[in-house]
Amino acid sequence: MKIAIVKERRQHEARVAATPETVRKLKALGAEITIETGAGTAASYTDQAYQDAGATIAPDAAAAVAAGDIVFKIQRPMSADEGVDEMGLLRSGQVLMSPLGALTNRPLVEALAAKGVTSFALELIPRITRAQSMDILSSQANLAGYKAVLLAANSFGRIFPQMMTPGGTLAPARAFIMGVGVAGLQAIATARRLGAVVTATDVRPATKEQVQSLGGKFVAVEDEEFKAAETAGGYAKQMSPEYQAKQAALVAEHIKLQDIVVTTALIPGRKAPVLVSEDMVKTMKPGSVIVDMAVEQGGNCPLSEFGKVVEKYGVKIVGPANLPGELPTDASALFSRNLLNFITPMVDKETKALTINLEDEVVKGTLVTRDGQIVHPSLTQA
């Protein structure tokens, strides 16, 4: 079993798909590891550290990929029309383990099938107990929620905590977290640690207790639709227009009083829902800050711009391009452990070879292409 790791080339990406720690553990599984030179530099992992862990350093991406039967990546491979032809490096029979955005990147999936690459889309890891240690979305969202609040604090012209000074008392900031998934919960915890008065909203009933347990106040229209607003996988359901209108009215009144708003709402495979409208932004206090964590999927605020901080109606709106990528050392450590936990059950203990069990729930949930065909149920249904 030969594993290749290359330097990520997409803009704003500083993470790497293996660390010296996971290289050692992959070696213990019987794998040979080849890493492109400089692959971990932006995340503070040196070539020497990888060599000390037992990896071979390749001079470029082509050499690294050529040496591997399996390729680990943080980002989906780029195509020639994106400026770097990473797809051209892959060959028939190779295995790719990477986030692919498979449900929204049909051309990429078709290209992988055409090349004969066996690909696993890591963003599709099922939300089951056994797969929690493999869940890249949760591990990266946890860090993203933390970083989002720090970005908000950095853009805010006031402090977060209440402060009593000889010159008078400074009131605490009010922070509103919209969407209480993994990222939202970490955002609540971080804002609370910084001393803000925190409120939060979500359409899933189970989140109310979670918000309160972190010291926040829950804000939502709690009607019958709200009580059934969660999928079996733990994601938020698409709400009816009627509920959305009621919730928007409640939020519109609440948001007028807030200093910080962090939006985290995403629905897998769909454009991000609008949570903070332009009209709501107009009502916010001058100097307020919005951090739109969903900007990569269209944004929860229509005024946010990808990779930019813009000011509209006196409100700063932050559209971070890659929040986990701003914490590359820890983000790489968590991501690479997720990958290690993902591949470990597939390694035959006797032969040390990769064996893909098509009956395994995790494999079925993530396997996208195999033997020249698109095989994931969500992509083969008419």
Side-chain angles (χ1 to χ4, degrees):
M1 184 173 68
K2 298 179 179 179
I3 298 173
I5 291 96
V6 296
K7 181 178 180 179
E8 298 293 332
R9 286 171 165 79
R10 289 190 182 275
Q11 193 176 10
H12 309 295
E13 187 54 79
R15 294 171 293 174
V16 62
T19 64
E21 174 201 4
T22 59
V23 165
R24 291 187 187 92
K25 292 178 179 178
L26 290 166
K27 290 278 290 183
L29 289 176
E32 296 177 24
I33 316 296
T34 302
I35 298 179
E36 179 188 358
T37 184
T41 301
S44 303
Y45 299 110
T46 65
D47 286 354
Q48 187 61 53
Y50 285 120
Q51 285 182 303
D52 292 345
T56 299
I57 303 299
D60 52 38
V65 174
D69 305 314
I70 302 165
V71 178
F72 286 177
K73 281 188 96 298
I74 290 275
Q75 295 270 5
R76 67 185 187 277
M78 298 174 71
S79 59
D81 61 6
E82 293 177 290
V84 179
D85 189 10
E86 293 181 311
M87 284 293 295
L89 302 179
L90 298 172
R91 64 179 184 272
S92 179
Q94 274 187 319
V95 176
L96 173 65
M97 296 182 177
S98 170
L100 299 175
L103 300 183
T104 54
N105 285 292
R106 182 80 187 193
L108 171 64
V109 172
E110 291 175 347
L112 289 167
K115 287 188 74 79
V117 174
T118 297
S119 63
F120 291 88
L122 300 181
E123 77 277 6
L124 299 179
I125 287 172
R127 287 196 161 184
I128 56 175
T129 301
R130 179 167 63 88
Q132 285 180 348
S133 65
M134 313 171 190
D135 187 354
I136 62 160
L137 296 182
S138 292
S139 74
Q140 302 304 289
N142 195 31
L143 293 174
Y146 165 82
K147 187 65 175 181
V149 175
L150 298 189
L151 289 180
N154 194 51
S155 296
F156 189 45
R158 290 175 40 213
I159 63 171
F160 267 47
Q162 177 174 297
M163 189 176 291
M164 296 179 182
T165 78
T169 299
L170 298 173
R174 294 181 175 274
F176 183 37
I177 314 302
M178 303 185 73
V180 188
V182 173
L185 287 169
Q186 186 57 249
I188 293 167
T190 303
R192 285 282 296 157
R193 282 195 292 266
L194 289 175
V197 175
V198 180
T199 53
T201 189
D202 197 289
V203 297
R204 295 167 298 161
T207 60
K208 180 176 181 178
E209 186 176 337
Q210 295 169 340
V211 170
Q212 292 171 335
S213 72
L214 291 171
K217 181 181 177 182
F218 191 69
V219 177
V221 176
E222 300 183 46
D223 61 9
E224 291 304 313
E225 184 176 356
F226 171 80
K227 295 175 183 177
E230 187 169 349
T231 69
Y235 292 102
K237 286 184 180 179
Q238 183 76 36
M239 303 299 283
S240 70
E242 291 78 16
Y243 182 90
Q244 290 180 36
K246 289 189 289 185
Q247 177 73 358
L250 177 65
V251 167
E253 286 303 309
H254 186 69
I255 216 166
K256 294 176 183 178
L257 306 175
Q258 305 307 306
D259 300 301
I260 306 293
V261 176
V262 177
T263 68
T264 74
L266 289 171
I267 300 172
R270 297 188 186 181
K271 188 177 182 294
V274 173
L275 301 183
V276 183
S277 67
E278 183 171 356
D279 286 341
M280 291 180 189
V281 176
K282 290 178 181 178
T283 70
M284 294 180 70
K285 295 182 286 187
S288 300
V289 177
I290 298 171
V291 179
D292 189 346
M293 292 181 63
V295 69
E296 291 183 73
Q297 285 185 225
N300 296 142
C301 177
L303 301 179
S304 63
E305 296 183 27
F306 180 76
K308 296 182 180 179
V309 179
V310 297
E311 187 164 330
K312 305 285 185 178
Y313 309 108
V315 177
K316 288 184 180 178
I317 305 172
V318 184
N322 180 349
L323 281 168
E326 295 193 32
L327 298 165
T329 305
D330 286 336
S332 298
L334 292 180
F335 188 103
S336 61
R337 289 172 196 162
N338 295 148
L339 257 175
L340 172 69
N341 294 330
F342 179 73
I343 198 173
T344 297
M346 300 186 200
V347 179
D348 186 279
K349 293 182 179 178
E350 299 297 326
T351 66
K352 308 299 183 183
L354 188 73
T355 53
I356 299 174
N357 177 10
L358 298 178
E359 299 304 312
D360 183 271
E361 190 173 357
V362 174
V363 171
K364 287 192 291 186
T366 55
L367 186 62
V368 172
T369 61
R370 187 170 187 261
D371 297 331
Q373 302 292 321
I374 297 172
V375 297
H376 196 278
S378 296
L379 296 168
T380 57
Q381 295 167 355

